[in-house]
């Protein structure tokens, strides 16, 4: 039986190899914020005939002016396109390209619009998450122990950083749906970790004298392995089906979930669990130090 | 073989099937009963169904000019008003210098909603000489209520500490004289002050019904609009996610869900089949609750539902793995089921309560997108705890009791 707890450093290094470039990218390049956050232009056009919305979407996306979800049909031949901020030139390009690809265009309006999600709302979300994490630790302290709570929440933070980092590196546009994806990942991650910690808690009760903590956690991981794999597979079935067969407008949202769920599967076993082992072993060292002092 | 148990099983399956069919094909019978979920459809949000797109243009008022600052305030007031009415995830954004776009989904009467939305809601109390003694700016809260003694509908006002002081001074100075209550310049009432009011409470009466009072209370609570707004255009818009894309995604979702159901049967045999039944039941209950509480479904809401579905599958998986372990120790099928549930439930309970704590915090501190997610997740988790612990267990025991399947191998051991 492979021992996951022996090479804890390797798992930490793998995590850092993903998270650090992501953090670097977040600090230096930031995110490709969608117009939900930044505002932009609202271009409304009337076409001379009824065309499929995909055709309009393809044109706008190819120009790189807007993400797929910002094009709405209104009535039979009017289209509302929310783009990033456009210069006069770009606006003209948009109209002429539409004319070439889909037919006669009648421009109804083209105006600057402000953000839908203000700074306040974003700050709100971050605060809510921090408070939620604190309360989760409180509950886990009560049912498990403080250090398991800290380890579980660290695993959760790990998953959020992985998703945000990858989205920053690849400069994929993020919108309000991304906020929901991050929240979903948080829920999945904490759920996954607690099931493993529950097994650890149970095994601690029947712990034999002299059994190393590493081995106990490792056995717990193996005992819950079938469940961990089956659950992540079940969730990935739905997500992969949505990613491969679903519509274009939810692709980024689903991608965030796929990355997050995979990271959650990894971190429950290889971040939160070894971290708890290390936290416990530190405690032991402290005690040894204390004993050494009191012996003097 | 115990036929009575088999018949019970068959009956349960029939009930689930019937519920499923009535959910899919609305029966006209229940349409008029407001609280019954059957025969009604789930309300969909802007991203899934589109809605009404309104462009408002601001005009100067005697007090305020239209500028960046007043427009910001107007936008904030509109956002508060829409959120208070419970419309999920609206769009409120500035357009150009003096316009605000509002998009709403899932309302029965968009005409009325827009008319209510743009009322200035400027509240004033004036003395006999026509001097304003207190305004809506001094309000802390406004709530609709029904007077328990007379049964008349009213809006109860609570003033801020500052406002309470002003109101106490004014009522003390005007005992025996009327004080007029004006909303947007119209005299609502002109009650005569009986005695000084020092507790910072006042009320407005004379409403037809609670709904009307509720609307007024929301407007007063959200504050007055600093500028006058006029509707420039109103139109319906299609779903933000595009109908074509949504159709494909729905089909993809069905494929994914079927894959889960098949996987459960292949891997867990009989218990897997039972879990599938319980999951079908679970999905029906959750959807019925969504319809019952008039939740608006949006993409974040669906994310919450999917997560709860994953957690529901997980609860079954945790328990079955435990049952398998118990079977391997040589227990009988029935005692293995009991022991497996007992041990598995602790894990399910702790994981779910922790997730619920998170969802509750998100609901209380979050705004639109986050709230939609928190609501569906919480409902989903509560229902999944119920179905995994009661239904799955009950079905498993029934199956074991029929004695049709004796070999532990069919339980995946």
């Amino acid at each position: 039986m492979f021992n996951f707890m022996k090479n804890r450093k390797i798992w930490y290094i793998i995590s850092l190899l993903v998270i650090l470039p992501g953090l670097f990218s977040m600090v230096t390049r930031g995110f490709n914020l969608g117009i939900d956050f930044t505002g932009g232009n609202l271009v409304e056009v009337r076409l001379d005939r009824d065309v499929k919305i995909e055709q309009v979407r393809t044109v706008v996306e190819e120009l790189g002016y807007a993400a797929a979800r910002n094009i709405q049909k209104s009535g039979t031949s009017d289209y509302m396109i929310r783009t990033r901020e456009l210069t006069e030139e770009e606006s003209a390009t948009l109209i002429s390209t539409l004319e070439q690809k889909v037919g006669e265009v009648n421009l109804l309006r083209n105006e600057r619009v402000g953000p839908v999600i203000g700074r306040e709302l974003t700050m709100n979300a971050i605060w809510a998450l921090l408070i939620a994490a604190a309360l989760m630790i409180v509950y886990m302290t009560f049912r498990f122990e403080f250090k398991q709570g800290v380890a579980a929440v660290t695993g959760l933070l790990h998953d959020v950083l992985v998703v945000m980092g990858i989205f920053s590196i690849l400069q994929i546009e993020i919108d309000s749906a991304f906020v929901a994806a991050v929240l979903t990942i948080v829920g999945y991650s904490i759920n996954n970790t607690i099931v493993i910690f529950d097994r650890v808690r149970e095994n601690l009760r029947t712990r034999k004298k002299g059994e190393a903590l590493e081995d106990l956690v490792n056995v717990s991981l193996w005992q819950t392995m079938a469940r961990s794999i089956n659950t992540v597979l079940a969730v990935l079935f739905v997500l992969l089906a949505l990613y491969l067969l679903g519509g274009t407008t939810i692709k980024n949202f689903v991608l965030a979930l796929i990355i997050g769920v995979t990271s959650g599967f990894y971190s429950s076993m290889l971040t939160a669990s070894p971290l708890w082992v290390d936290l416990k072993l530190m405690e032991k060292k402290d005690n040894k130090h204390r004993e050494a002092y009191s012996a003097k | 073989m115990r036929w009575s148990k088999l018949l019970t099983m068959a009956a349960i399956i029939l009930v689930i099937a019937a519920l499923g069919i009535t959910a899919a094909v609305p029966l006209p019978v229940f349409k008029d009963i407001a609280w019954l979920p059957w025969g009604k459809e789930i309300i969909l949000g802007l991203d899934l169904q589109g809605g009404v797109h309104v462009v408002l243009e601001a005009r100067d008022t005697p007090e305020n000019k239209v500028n960046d600052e007043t427009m910001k305030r107007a936008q904030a007031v509109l956002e508060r008003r829409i959120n208070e009415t419970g419309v999920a995830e609206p769009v409120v954004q500035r357009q150009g210098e003096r316009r605000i776009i509002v998009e709403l989904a899932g309302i029965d009467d968009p005409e009325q909603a827009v008319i209510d939305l743009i009322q200035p809601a400027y509240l004033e109390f004036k003395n006999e000489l026509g001097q304003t003694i207190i305004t809506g700016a001094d309000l802390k809260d406004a709530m609709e209520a029904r007077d328990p003694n007379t049964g008349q509908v009213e809006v109860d006002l609570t003033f801020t500490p500052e406002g309470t002081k002003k109101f106490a001074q004014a009522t003390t100075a005007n005992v025996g004289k009327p004080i007029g209550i004006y909303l947007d310049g119209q005299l609502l009432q002109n009650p005569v002050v009986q005695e000084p009011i020092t507790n910072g409470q006042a009320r407005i009466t004379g409403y037809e019904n609670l709904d009307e009072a509720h609307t007024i209370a929301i407007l007063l609570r959200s504050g007055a609009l600093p500028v006058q707004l006029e509707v420039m255009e109103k139109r319906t818009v299609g779903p933000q996610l595009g109908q074509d894309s949504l159709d494909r995604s729905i089909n993809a979702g069905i494929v994914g869900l079927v894959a889960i159901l098949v996987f459960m049967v292949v891997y867990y045999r009989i218990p897997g089949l039972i879990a599938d039944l319980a999951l079908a039941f679970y999905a029906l209950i959750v959807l019925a609750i969504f319809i019952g509480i008039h939740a608006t479904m949006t993409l974040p809401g669906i994310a919450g539902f999917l997560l709860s579905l994953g957690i529901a599958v997980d609860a079954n998986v945790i328990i079955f793995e435990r049952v398998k372990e118990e079977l391997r120790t040589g227990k009988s099928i029935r005692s293995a089921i009991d022991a497996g549930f007992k041990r598995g439930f602790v894990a399910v309970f702790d994981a779910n309560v922790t997730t619920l704590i998170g969802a509750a915090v998100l609901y209380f501190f979050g705004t639109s997108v986050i709230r939609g997610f928190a609501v569906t997740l919480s409902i989903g988790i509560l229902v999944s705890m119920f179905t995994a612990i009661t239904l799955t267990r009950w079905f498993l025991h029934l199956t074991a009791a029929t004695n049709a399947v004796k070999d532990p191998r069919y339980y995946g051991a």
Side-chain angles (χ1 to χ4, degrees):
Chain A
M1 203 163 67
F2 182 76
N3 192 328
F4 286 111
M5 292 298 120
K6 279 275 178 289
N7 327 329
R8 294 197 292 277
K9 283 204 179 66
I10 295 178
W11 313 132
Y12 295 149
I13 289 166
I14 291 175
S15 291
L16 290 176
L17 280 178
V18 177
I19 290 175
L20 288 178
L23 274 174
F24 181 73
S25 171
M26 278 189 248
V27 173
T28 52
R29 294 196 303 169
F31 295 101
N32 176 1
L33 289 175
I35 54 149
D36 284 359
F37 295 96
T38 59
N41 278 43
L42 178 64
V43 182
E44 199 178 345
V45 294
R46 177 165 294 165
L47 300 172
D48 62 341
R49 57 172 191 263
D50 186 6
V51 298
K52 280 224 159 26
I53 192 162
E54 298 102 285
Q55 290 177 268
V56 179
R57 194 182 293 144
T58 315
V59 171
V60 182
E61 273 197 296
E62 274 172 6
L63 288 169
Y65 290 170
R69 65 170 295 177
N70 299 308
I71 297 159
Q72 281 164 283
K73 194 169 179 170
S74 165
T76 50
S77 54
D78 292 2
Y79 294 86
M80 249 184 243
I81 308 168
R82 284 184 165 91
T83 62
R84 58 174 173 75
E85 201 171 334
L86 297 180
T87 60
E88 291 292 324
E89 215 171 308
E90 285 170 328
S91 296
T93 310
L94 175 63
I95 301 300
S96 62
T97 319
L98 277 172
E99 298 226 308
Q100 282 165 22
K101 299 259 167 84
V102 292
E104 194 69 30
V105 173
N106 187 352
L107 182 67
L108 301 175
R109 64 173 153 172
N110 181 357
E111 289 203 56
R112 294 267 309 117
V113 286
V116 178
I117 301 178
R119 188 162 285 279
E120 214 178 320
L121 211 136
T122 318
M123 286 316 293
N124 236 340
I126 293 168
W127 273 115
L129 261 184
L130 291 175
I131 296 169
L135 283 181
M136 284 175 182
I137 293 182
V138 169
Y139 179 76
M140 286 188 73
T141 306
F142 178 67
R143 294 282 300 172
F144 296 80
E145 62 156 45
F146 175 67
K147 287 188 172 173
Q148 274 182 312
V150 172
V153 168
T154 310
L156 174 165
L157 189 71
H158 168 281
D159 302 334
V160 171
L161 286 177
V162 165
V163 175
M164 292 178 83
I166 290 177
F167 266 62
S168 170
I169 290 169
L170 300 176
Q171 287 289 301
I172 303 170
E173 185 169 303
I174 62 174
D175 55 15
S176 56
F178 181 79
V179 177
V182 168
L183 297 178
T184 310
I185 290 156
V186 167
Y188 173 83
S189 175
I190 198 84
N191 209 56
N192 220 10
T193 308
I194 288 183
V195 175
I196 293 172
F197 280 1
D198 165 79
R199 199 63 186 227
V200 171
R201 178 173 61 183
E202 196 174 309
N203 290 335
L204 278 173
R205 287 198 203 110
T206 55
R207 188 176 175 184
K208 293 177 191 66
K209 239 190 149 31
E211 187 184 7
L213 206 58
E214 287 101 323
D215 297 335
L216 184 137
V217 172
N218 187 49
V219 166
S220 307
L221 282 186
W222 278 104
Q223 283 170 328
T224 49
M225 189 64 76
R227 169 264 159 190
S228 300
I229 291 175
N230 286 349
T231 300
V232 79
L233 279 182
V235 177
L236 283 177
F237 281 154
V238 177
L239 293 179
L240 285 173
L242 281 174
Y243 190 76
L244 298 171
L245 311 169
T248 48
T249 50
I250 61 165
K251 267 220 165 19
N252 288 349
F253 170 71
V254 178
L255 180 67
L257 287 177
I258 290 175
I259 296 169
V261 164
T262 312
S263 169
F265 173 70
Y266 177 93
S267 74
S268 297
M269 293 202 283
L270 305 176
T271 310
S273 303
L275 198 69
W276 179 70
V277 170
D278 280 329
L279 284 173
K280 288 302 271 188
L281 293 179
M282 264 187 227
E283 193 177 304
K284 286 242 171 64
K285 275 182 199 145
D286 282 352
N287 288 343
K288 273 188 190 137
H289 279 293
R290 261 186 237 127
E291 278 161 26
Y293 275 112
S294 57
K296 274 174 192 173
Chain B
M1 273 298 210
R2 300 267 298 278
W3 290 104
S4 62
K5 301 284 183 190
L6 263 185
L7 281 172
T8 320
M9 288 282 289
I12 291 169
I13 294 169
L14 275 176
V15 167
I16 293 177
L19 279 174
I21 290 164
T22 50
V25 186
L27 288 176
V29 186
F30 302 112
K31 256 213 151 56
D32 304 328
I33 308 171
W35 50 271
L36 275 181
W38 296 287
K40 298 182 187 59
E41 287 180 353
I42 288 195
I43 310 161
L44 300 175
L46 277 174
D47 48 358
L48 303 178
Q49 177 176 276
V52 54
H53 172 100
V54 184
V55 181
L56 303 168
E57 185 163 282
R59 301 257 184 278
D60 295 356
T61 58
E63 294 82 25
N64 293 311
K65 290 259 176 297
V66 174
N67 56 31
D68 195 50
E69 195 264 338
T70 49
M71 287 300 282
K72 270 199 185 119
R73 268 170 41 205
Q75 184 180 356
V77 170
L78 285 178
E79 277 175 5
R80 271 202 299 273
R81 286 180 182 186
I82 298 169
N83 283 331
E84 292 260 337
T85 48
V87 173
E89 293 160 54
V91 167
V92 182
Q93 65 183 153
R94 295 266 307 271
Q95 179 194 328
E97 291 293 304
R98 46 195 318 136
R99 288 187 172 187
I100 295 179
I101 296 174
V102 176
E103 281 185 17
L104 306 167
I107 350 174
D108 300 335
D109 190 355
E111 299 282 332
Q112 190 56 46
V114 172
I115 292 169
D116 287 340
L117 203 58
I118 58 173
Q119 283 189 39
Y122 187 64
L123 178 79
E124 289 170 294
F125 285 55
K126 290 183 180 176
N127 65 13
E128 254 184 320
L129 308 170
Q131 295 159 314
T132 302
I133 49 180
I134 197 166
T135 68
D138 299 307
L139 270 187
K140 191 173 123 196
D141 198 8
M143 281 299 288
E144 74 277 10
R146 191 184 287 277
D147 190 310
N149 306 323
T150 59
Q152 75 170 356
V153 178
E154 58 190 41
V155 175
D156 294 330
L157 308 176
T158 314
F159 294 111
T160 57
E162 182 71 14
T164 304
K165 251 184 259 158
K166 279 191 207 169
F167 198 55
Q169 281 166 6
T171 45
T172 313
N174 286 291
V175 173
K177 296 180 194 156
I179 286 186
I181 306 174
Y182 294 80
L183 187 64
D184 294 339
Q186 285 195 311
L187 179 63
L188 296 179
Q189 275 142 40
N190 211 1
V192 174
V193 180
Q194 309 290 346
E195 54 189 22
I197 303 171
T198 52
N199 63 353
Q201 302 271 344
R203 68 179 185 181
I204 312 173
T205 54
Y207 294 102
E208 294 281 316
N209 52 38
L210 269 176
D211 277 348
E212 195 188 345
H214 178 67
T215 306
I216 295 292
I218 286 177
L219 293 177
L220 292 176
R221 263 205 302 272
S222 319
L225 280 169
V227 286
Q228 195 193 346
L229 293 174
E230 281 178 23
V231 179
M232 299 304 289
E233 58 167 304
K234 202 164 61 198
R235 51 164 71 218
T236 53
V237 284
Q240 290 168 336
L241 294 168
Q243 201 54 56
D244 58 304
S245 183
L246 282 174
D247 292 342
R248 289 185 56 187
S249 304
I250 289 168
N251 290 335
I254 291 170
V255 169
L257 290 174
V258 168
I260 290 187
L261 297 178
V262 171
F263 171 77
M264 292 292 279
V265 173
V266 169
Y267 194 91
Y268 290 106
R269 319 280 167 81
I270 297 276
L273 193 64
I274 289 165
D276 284 354
L277 272 179
L279 284 174
F281 211 86
Y282 157 82
L284 286 175
I285 296 174
V286 172
L287 292 178
I289 293 175
F290 288 164
I291 298 172
I293 63 167
H294 303 292
T296 308
M297 262 314 206
T298 56
L299 193 62
I302 288 177
F305 175 61
L306 278 181
L307 175 58
S308 79
L309 189 76
I311 289 174
V313 173
D314 191 32
N316 282 301
V317 169
I318 290 167
I319 288 164
F320 294 158
E321 288 291 340
R322 282 290 183 150
V323 172
K324 264 182 170 171
E325 277 180 52
E326 300 295 332
L327 279 171
R328 283 191 203 117
T329 61
K331 283 197 171 118
S332 74
I333 289 175
R334 295 173 90 168
S335 55
I337 292 172
D338 275 334
F341 262 91
K342 214 174 166 149
R343 303 187 104 181
F345 180 68
V346 184
V348 172
F349 179 84
D350 276 335
N352 283 352
V353 171
T354 314
T355 315
L356 268 179
I357 289 173
V361 172
L362 291 178
Y363 183 80
F364 284 111
F365 296 93
T367 27
S368 59
V369 175
I370 301 168
R371 279 198 148 181
F373 169 84
V375 169
T376 52
L377 175 62
S378 311
I379 292 172
I381 288 179
L382 288 169
V383 175
S384 83
M385 284 234 256
F386 166 76
T387 51
I389 305 311
T390 55
L391 282 178
T392 311
R393 185 177 195 163
W394 188 44
F395 288 170
L396 267 179
H397 271 302
L398 267 178
T399 319
T402 56
N403 287 342
V405 189
K406 288 203 185 69
D407 193 335
R409 267 181 311 184
Y410 288 107
Y411 290 86

